[in-house]
Each structure stands twice: as C-alpha cells, then as structure tokens.
Amino acid sequence: MRIVIAGGHGQIALRLERLLSARGDEVAGIIRKSEQGDDLRAAGAEPVLLDLESASVEEVAAHLQGADAAVFAAGAGPGSGTARKETVDRGAAVLFADAAVRAGVRRFMLVSSMGADPAHQGDDVFDAYLRAKGEADAYVTRQEALDWTIVRPGSLTNDAGTGLVRLEAHTGRGPVPRDDVAAVLAELVDTPATTGLTLELISGSQPVSVAVKSVAGN
C-alpha cells in the first residue's frame, strides 16, 4: 500500500511510519519544516514539504494521487493557542479530507481525541481543542466518498507499548502509549471493515490484532 500521513513528524506519525515501512508499505509524511525530513527518512518514510495551514485542496490532492490510504495525525501541539486549534486541528483535517476525496483516496483514518465534541463548552485552550477535534470528526463522518475510521485515544504516554489495548466505541478514560496507538492505526489502515466506526482507545488486555478484528466484526 501507499499511505500518506498528515503531520508526518508527530510522535504518533513517526512511530506509524516505522511500522508501515517495516512491513513493506510505501509511506509519505507531510511536514512543515525541511529540517524534519531526516527523521522521516530514518523512519522509512518519504518527506513531503507542505504547510496544511496555507495549502490549497489541489496542492494537497496532488500529493495524495495514487495513495491507497490517507491518515490525518497532525495537531497544533500543546503549546499552541486557540487560533491554531482552529487552523490545524479542525481546518487542516477538513482540508486533508477534501483533498482525499479530490484525489479519489477512499480509505481515510483520523486521529482524534477522547472527549472531542463540536458542542463542547468552555473557554480554555483545551476546550477549543476538543471543539475543533469534534468539528473535524463530524465533517469527516459526512463524507460519503471516504471509507473513514476515527480513533480517539485516551491520555497519551511515551511508555513502551505493551501491544495490549481496549478498542471500543466507548472505553471510558485511561492512558495509552503512543507505541500502541501507532500499532492500532497500522492494523486499522488495511482493515476496511472498520469503515464508519468512531473508536476510543486505551490500554487494555487484548492484543492489537484481536482488538481490531473484534471491532471489525471478525
């Protein structure tokens, strides 16, 4: 498969790139800064220099041509303000979805957040983040041309992955290593039977492949 990842230098994305390239997939990661390219190449991915806050749908679609799947794993980051939650967490996700439709890429994965809700109340930056993520999720679910799956991880940690997760429509809150989030995404990318599902993800007791097969109905 050829898989294009938005937010290619993110902590989850770099882990995902390593997993996908190791199993023989062709991976491209969209990055904003050229100096990030070496990290992507070390992970086995092709760096694509493109700013999703200013690019057009046509520009993004050009890089998605011929891809088998698109993964949105970008985020404004914890140090950013309310404005960039809107331009990245919502705006860039909408742009990437539109570009995937334009390029004819059906399989679409969106990394969201537990608690994402377009109607979330509050004035703090994290409140704006949850609203932006919720709006992005809602937009993607309306795209009939996409075979979408949305993943909402719990509290992300840098602990070593265990390969044991809980992946369900509603898990309740809990931590999950970024290693395990990447492993779940790698499994979901080529499990189209999970199309149309919004899934919460925390650490648990099921091996990743079993958890994915379970939600896919296998």
Side-chain angles (χ1 to χ4, degrees):
M1 295 176 72
R2 175 171 172 79
I3 300 158
V4 180
I5 302 172
H9 195 255
Q11 295 188 68
I12 291 172
L14 285 168
R15 289 166 166 82
L16 178 58
E17 287 154 5
R18 282 193 287 270
L19 291 174
L20 295 174
S21 61
R23 75 183 190 190
D25 289 327
E26 181 184 341
V27 190
I30 296 174
I31 54 175
R32 289 175 54 237
K33 300 175 182 176
S34 58
E35 58 265 31
Q36 296 170 337
D38 286 345
D39 290 337
L40 268 74
R41 283 184 280 267
E46 164 203 345
V48 174
L49 190 60
L50 188 67
D51 188 344
L52 294 175
E53 287 180 271
S54 59
S56 68
V57 171
E58 290 76 16
E59 287 171 323
V60 182
H63 293 290
L64 283 165
Q65 290 292 337
D68 299 291
V71 180
F72 186 84
S80 60
T82 301
R84 292 200 70 229
K85 306 306 181 191
E86 182 66 20
T87 57
V88 179
D89 293 293
R90 187 201 66 80
V94 167
L95 172 71
F96 200 57
D98 287 344
V101 172
R102 182 75 57 94
V105 181
R106 290 205 63 94
R107 188 70 178 124
F108 191 90
M109 307 286 306
L110 182 66
V111 181
S112 182
S113 173
M114 197 169 289
D117 181 355
H120 181 83
Q121 300 297 306
D123 300 321
D124 291 341
V125 172
F126 190 67
D127 297 322
Y129 169 76
L130 291 177
R131 273 195 301 275
K133 282 292 194 185
E135 288 165 2
D137 291 1
Y139 186 84
V140 167
T141 64
R142 295 194 296 267
Q143 306 311 303
E144 294 181 0
L146 296 178
D147 295 334
W148 55 266
T149 305
I150 295 170
V151 179
R152 292 177 169 175
S155 302
L156 297 168
T157 76
N158 286 326
D159 297 340
T162 64
L164 298 173
V165 298
R166 184 176 174 194
L167 180 69
E168 298 168 16
H170 301 287
T171 61
R173 296 190 177 275
V176 62
R178 289 179 172 87
D179 286 350
D180 289 334
V181 177
V184 167
L185 291 171
E187 194 83 20
L188 286 169
V189 162
D190 54 5
T191 309
T194 58
T195 291
L197 299 181
T198 298
L199 300 166
E200 294 184 350
L201 170 64
I202 59 175
S203 292
S205 58
Q206 281 192 314
V208 167
S209 60
V210 175
V212 170
K213 285 185 174 69
S214 178
V215 295
N218 297 333

